[in-house]
């Protein structure tokens, strides 16, 4: 028996065209899932970076906006069916000292990381309850949900908020058979963190000290955690954070 068979799963992932998201999408497809990919970028840009598959469709929407998100769920339902797993994965990061953090940037970050996750999870939960579906929410948080890290305090705040949100959905909707869990990655070797690692020696020194396993996180390791949590192997999990961080969260900051 293939315990990671996802062929009966319809999985929606927000921010799925991003650096980590596109690797997650590839691995979910490889395990047989049907995948609805959401992002804010134009369809042609998303299609250029996403794998090609009959089991993949792209749905453009800003998930911080309730009407756009509801319309996206309508489109997903009519083209693929109602997802049984919804991944609140879209996110952004910004780096400034706390004393200089621009408030407009703070508001934007909270909108993308916290509000968009709530809007998506709320819309999914409403539909699952109306249709009697035992759905599963997966929130992408971060090891910094519990650990401070210089210059990204609004980001760490947002990830703590997402953890609390995940636990709230899990507790409140358990009696409807709806589950919620989080995946907390470490310092992933793609995008901004990788560029900083390659070009900024002080960041590299600090970050490599913070990774007990000693190397940046392969995005495939995040994707494998998604495959497991989406599978029936994780069916008894709710309210949990799956840390996949190379031990980053073990590091005491000085
Ligand atoms: N990169 C890391 O080291 C790391 C570590 C831990 C957690 N994470 C988390 O993983 C997730 C993905 O990160 P990434 O590094 O791939 O970043 P990324 O910027 O490459 O991907 C994020 C995607 O979200 C999309 N997006 C932004 N706002 C949106 C909205 N309102 N609606 C829909 N989509 C929207 C963006 O267009 C982008 O494609 C984020 O939640 C991030 O916080 C990343």
């Amino acid at each position: 028996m293939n315990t990671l068979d996802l062929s009966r799963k319809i999985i929606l992932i927000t921010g799925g065209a991003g650096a980590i998201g596109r690797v997650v999408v590839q691995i979910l497809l490889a395990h047989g899932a049907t995948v609805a990919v959401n992002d804010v970028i134009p369809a042609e840009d998303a299609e250029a970076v996403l794998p090609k598959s009959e089991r993949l469709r792209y749905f453009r929407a800003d998930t911080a906006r309730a009407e756009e998100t509801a319309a996206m769920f309508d489109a997903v339902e009519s083209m693929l069916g109602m997802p049984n797993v919804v991944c609140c994965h879209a996110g952004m990061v910004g780096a400034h000292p706390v004393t200089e953090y621009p408030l407009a940037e703070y508001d934007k970050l909270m909108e993308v990381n916290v509000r968009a996750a709530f809007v998506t999870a709320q819309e999914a939960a409403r539909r699952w309850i109306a249709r009697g579906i035992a759905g599963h929410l997966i929130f992408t948080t971060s090891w910094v949900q519990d650990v401070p890290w210089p210059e990204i305090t609004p980001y760490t705040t947002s990830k703590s908020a997402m953890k609390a949100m995940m636990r709230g959905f899990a507790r409140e909707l358990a009696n409807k058979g709806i589950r919620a869990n989080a995946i907390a990655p470490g310092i992933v070797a793609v995008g901004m963190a990788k560029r900083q690692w390659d070009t900024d020696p002080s960041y590299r020194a600090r970050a490599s000290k913070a990774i007990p396993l000693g190397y940046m996180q392969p995005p495939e390791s995040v994707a494998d955690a998604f495959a497991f949590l989406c599978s029936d192997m994780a069916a008894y999990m709710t309210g949990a954070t799956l840390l996949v961080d190379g031990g980053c969260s073990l590091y005491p900051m000085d």
Side-chain angles (χ1 to χ4, degrees), residues 209-228:
K209 244 173 76 182
I211 309 174
L213 287 187
Y215 58 95
M216 290 190 95
Q217 179 168 11
E220 291 77 10
S221 67
V222 183
D224 287 342
F226 270 91
F228 165 69

Side-chain angles (χ1 to χ4, degrees), residues 59-131:
F59 301 88
R60 185 183 186 182
D62 176 346
T63 50
R65 295 171 189 268
E67 312 74 39
E68 278 189 39
T69 303
M72 171 188 75
F73 270 92
D74 286 343
V76 173
E77 277 207 74
S78 70
M79 289 182 75
L80 301 174
M82 183 60 200
N84 31 32
V85 184
V86 170
C87 305
C88 302
H89 177 76
M92 61 172 285
V93 67
H96 305 280
V98 275
T99 48
E100 287 157 35
Y101 213 99
L103 288 178
E105 220 181 284
Y106 173 95
D107 289 342
K108 179 66 187 167
L109 185 141
M110 290 299 165
E111 182 182 295
V112 172
N113 292 7
V114 183
R115 182 182 159 90
F118 188 82
V119 168
T120 305
Q122 183 185 55
E123 188 62 36
R126 283 177 176 158
R127 289 172 190 244
W128 284 332
I129 291 166
R131 291 152 187 61

Side-chain angles (χ1 to χ4, degrees), residues 15 18-20 38-40 61-63 89-91 112 140-141 155 159 185-186 188:
I20 297 174
N38 154 263
D39 208 290
V40 277
D62 176 346
T63 50
H89 177 76
V112 172
T140 303
T141 61
Y155 181 78
K159 293 299 179 181
V188 184

